[in-house]
Amino acid sequence: MKKDEIIKEILELKKKRNAVIVAHNYQVDEVQEVADVVGDSLALSKYCADVKKDVIVFCGVHFMAESAKILSPNKVVLLPEIDAGCPMADMVTKEALIEEKKKFPNATVVCYINSSAEVKSECDVCCTSSNAVDIVRAINNKDILFVPDQNLGSYVSKKVPEKNIILWKGYCITHHRVKIDELIRARELRPDAEVLVHPECQPDIVEAADFIGSTKQIIEYATNSSNKEFIIGTEMGVLFKLKKDNPDKNFYLLSPGLVCPNMKKTSLMSVYRSLNEMNYEINLDETIRLKAKKALDNMLKLS
Ligand code: 13P
Ligand code: SF4
């Protein structure tokens, strides 16, 4: 099928299924184009919790579709590519977390939304990259066990020095590989550009940046800035919206390694197949779902 035909089929199927298509900011351009909503993890979680549709097609990675299911148990949640996982989310398991909690019985457990529903079910409160600092600051406990992203956790611990943050050793394979030499070189090449990075980058990168934020916050910052040039330190998918919304500005990717292979698995064809075959449906054990929901609800209350 040609691109126009696939899009036509998708739109017809969407109506027939009473479905909505949501896409993360890292999805390929044509998936972002066909989506009803594009956003960061927090915005998409909130949207899915309130949307009045029977089916949610979640173009993103596994933990994101799980979060949608946790918040919307009566909707059918579909992940178009079942192998689209998040390696960082897989760096913590429920069993390993239960063991770690025994070492810090008085700590409040905060989990980054990039974690499985099973891991969330063992946590007190979730956070995303856009609200992690505020969530941790609002917790009425000095000791925080933060899983699984050591880089986001380390960023939070600098912003909230009054807390004792115990870090899990997980990281995002895509953001973690950005090197400080790349940032220094990028600044030399574009001295007028502002450097905007995601807090999943390593501490030396975050330290050297002009702005740190979630994908949505990076897009908003660049859009509202009077500056004309930006070096972008997050996954390349954000360039689509940045360029579309800011045709008069220039954006340069901080590192050619900023590509998440899992986010790139979903194509227009996978969205079409997903709606046509109602694949791949996300289902959760109800006890796990309810416990994980508490952690997500606590986040939504605090953010
Ligand atoms: P955002 O919440 O900033 O969109 O990030 C999600 C993610 O997976 C970052 O790698
Ligand atoms: Fe996971 Fe990193 Fe991909 Fe985000 S960019 S989904 S954290 S691997």
Side-chain angles (χ1 to χ4, degrees), residues 69-70 73-74 121 283-293:
K69 186 68 184 177
I70 292 168
N74 299 325
S121 75
N283 281 307
L284 296 169
D285 173 271
E286 188 60 5
T287 314
I288 296 285
R289 188 189 73 79
L290 286 173
K291 285 177 80 184
K293 185 172 182 295

Side-chain angles (χ1 to χ4, degrees), residues 71-108:
L71 295 169
S72 310
N74 299 325
K75 292 165 201 159
V76 173
V77 177
L78 302 174
L79 182 68
E81 289 292 335
I82 197 62
D83 292 336
C86 169
M88 170 159 62
D90 296 339
M91 289 178 192
V92 56
T93 62
K94 181 182 167 195
E95 292 71 28
L97 179 55
I98 290 172
E99 283 310 304
E100 191 71 0
K101 279 166 61 173
K102 286 181 191 158
K103 293 189 211 159
F104 306 100
N106 298 322
T108 298

